[in-house]
Amino acid sequence: MTSARSHEDSGPLRRTGRAVGHALHKPFTGTAKGIRKATHAHGAGESGLGKLIELHAVNGAGDVMITVALASTVFFSVPTDEARGRVALYLAVTMAPFTLLAPVIGPLLDRLPHGRRAAMAGSMLARAVLALTMSGAVATGGLELYPAALGVLVCSKAYGVVRSAVVPRLLPPRFSLVKANSRVTLAGLLATGIAAPIGAGLQTVGPGWPLYGACVIFLGGTVLAFTLPHKVDSAKGERKAQLVEPHGVAVSLSEPGRAGRRPGRERNGEKRPGLRSVGPSVLNGLQANSAHRALSGFLIFFLAFLLREHPLAGQSAAVSLGIAGVAAGLGNASGTAVGSWLRARGPEMIVVSVLALALLVAVLAALFFSTVMVAALSATAGFTLALSKLSLDAMIQRDVPEEVRSSAFARSETVLQMAWVVGGGIGIALPLNGVLGMSVAAGILALGAATSVRGLLSAARRGSPHPRVA
């Protein structure tokens, strides 16, 4: 009798417990379902693109956690002069070797067409281990931190190269490549925006905690990489792309196992396709994008030191850096959104237009250096970088034969990363003078315009080529 009454009394408690558990669980499951619905919309779920979007979000979150930990150690925790020395050391120990390694990344990954999922998972797992390794050294800022940081950088860029090569294989029906890349990029930006304050919060607990967070995130990414479709590892119909010819700068293409032959050599009476043979747009677009990427690296390092030493009028150093960072982030997100809307409409003219816009704002920033102009240049640089890169993607999709398109993406991404390194090196070496810095920024863009605009305008007048590959 007592047992029956006890059972009856516990019934409402169980129901109440289930209701409370459901109420607490629902926000998380609802958010997860909402994210999955957004990433898998318009056929992205069926094609596998949704999985790549989620993986790229994980990649962005993990990378920003490491960035927060390194910035706090190398930059914010010491006086400006010492910070500049530490960042210079960071560039010397990490960026210089990376500049030598970057040209090797694309060709090396081209030899692993059947292991792209494993390569992406490997880059995640390696960064998880390196983050754990760095957690012990980040508090002291010892020299052992820098080789680990180099490893993280190389793994991150290797992931970016593989991701660029994978996207064309995961396009849903009637889905342009530029739209797919804009979705992937936007997911990374959103994840970065969410993870950055979380990393800053973990930093207040201890200098190693953002790295512990990065380790957990990258371990999740390792598992997620293997959920990508098997077609990611298929190399059917692909050939390799090379960026350097023996007697020129044109990007050329070759087949696997034929690297010993000169690019462009005729075979069976037909010339093998190269980027120059399908039109100059891609080469000129790559030159313009290199200017944007060099500007990005330059502004990140130059403004970081300039605004710490000479904050914007009426603002603290932290607020000044925040203004520049938020402006750049908003500009990048806006450029990605606009690129998705424009799709592939006249990509040559888009590249020319955004290059001219960035150059104009840089010149104005040099002439009228102020808080408003620094924010305007940061936002414009983010906007034009995103839109120009999406337009380059559209040109590669349109002009490069499908069987070599993935490899062309891998090689072009390597060149753009090297341009960022060069821009960052200039930014760290330049004296902390605002007008001088903005003038150099304008010079970088003017050089890009001089090497690319004429070719892009000519290609736009002629119309897009329609390559035929036997």
Side-chain angles (χ1 to χ4, degrees), residues 160 163-164 178 181 185 285-286 288-289 292-293 350-351 354 383-396 409 412-413 416-417:
R163 191 261 301 171
S164 295
V178 66
N181 274 287
T185 303
L286 185 58
N289 271 267
H292 286 290
R293 195 65 68 95
I350 293 174
V351 173
V354 297
F383 177 84
T384 56
L385 172 66
L387 196 50
S388 185
K389 178 59 168 66
L390 292 171
S391 298
L392 175 64
D393 292 345
M395 287 186 276
I396 292 176
F409 264 98
S412 66
E413 183 64 23
L416 295 179
Q417 298 299 348

Side-chain angles (χ1 to χ4, degrees), residues 216-231:
V216 172
I217 290 171
F218 284 129
L219 287 175
T222 302
V223 176
L224 188 59
F226 285 110
T227 67
L228 292 171
H230 289 282
K231 61 184 175 182

Side-chain angles (χ1 to χ4, degrees), residues 378-443:
S378 298
T380 303
F383 177 84
T384 56
L385 172 66
L387 196 50
S388 185
K389 178 59 168 66
L390 292 171
S391 298
L392 175 64
D393 292 345
M395 287 186 276
I396 292 176
Q397 179 195 27
R398 183 195 67 194
D399 295 354
V400 178
E402 184 177 0
E403 63 268 33
V404 290
R405 190 183 296 153
S406 292
S407 188
F409 264 98
R411 304 305 175 92
S412 66
E413 183 64 23
T414 300
V415 169
L416 295 179
Q417 298 299 348
M418 291 175 65
W420 187 89
V421 171
V422 172
I426 296 172
I428 192 65
L430 204 66
L432 299 180
N433 180 288
V435 174
L436 174 62
M438 299 304 99
S439 300
V440 170

Side-chain angles (χ1 to χ4, degrees), residues 167-184:
V167 172
R169 292 206 163 269
L170 299 179
L171 288 181
R174 300 180 299 278
F175 217 84
S176 70
L177 188 58
V178 66
K179 184 176 181 180
N181 274 287
S182 68
R183 277 201 182 187
V184 173

Side-chain angles (χ1 to χ4, degrees), residues 33-240:
K33 288 179 181 178
I35 293 173
R36 176 57 60 90
K37 183 177 179 181
T39 58
H40 285 57
H42 305 108
E46 291 78 4
S47 71
L49 181 64
K51 293 282 188 182
L52 183 62
I53 291 173
E54 293 167 359
L55 180 64
H56 191 64
V58 169
N59 177 79
D63 274 348
V64 79
M65 287 281 192
I66 292 179
T67 301
V68 168
L70 287 176
S72 300
T73 300
V74 175
F75 183 72
F76 289 108
S77 62
V78 294
T80 301
D81 290 341
E82 186 179 345
R84 195 165 190 181
R86 284 194 179 193
V87 173
L89 178 62
Y90 177 86
L91 284 175
V93 176
T94 60
M95 298 298 185
F98 173 71
T99 304
L100 299 176
L101 289 172
V104 180
I105 292 175
L108 178 63
L109 293 173
D110 262 345
R111 297 180 182 275
L112 301 171
H114 300 291
R116 289 180 181 136
R117 291 186 304 169
M120 298 173 90
S123 78
M124 296 281 182
L125 182 59
R127 279 179 284 173
V129 173
L130 289 169
L132 206 57
T133 303
M134 294 165 65
S135 63
V138 72
T140 61
L143 288 177
E144 64 271 20
L145 183 69
Y146 298 98
L150 171 61
V152 168
L153 180 67
V154 171
C155 290
S156 180
K157 300 315 177 187
Y159 162 83
V161 169
V162 179
R163 191 261 301 171
S164 295
V166 162
V167 172
R169 292 206 163 269
L170 299 179
L171 288 181
R174 300 180 299 278
F175 217 84
S176 70
L177 188 58
V178 66
K179 184 176 181 180
N181 274 287
S182 68
R183 277 201 182 187
V184 173
T185 303
L186 191 57
L189 290 173
L190 291 174
T192 298
I194 294 170
I198 296 175
L202 291 173
Q203 181 69 33
T204 62
V205 179
W209 279 89
L211 293 166
Y212 297 144
C215 179
V216 172
I217 290 171
F218 284 129
L219 287 175
T222 302
V223 176
L224 188 59
F226 285 110
T227 67
L228 292 171
H230 289 282
K231 61 184 175 182
V232 165
D233 288 335
S234 172
K236 184 179 179 180
E238 289 188 4
R239 282 177 278 172
K240 295 181 182 176

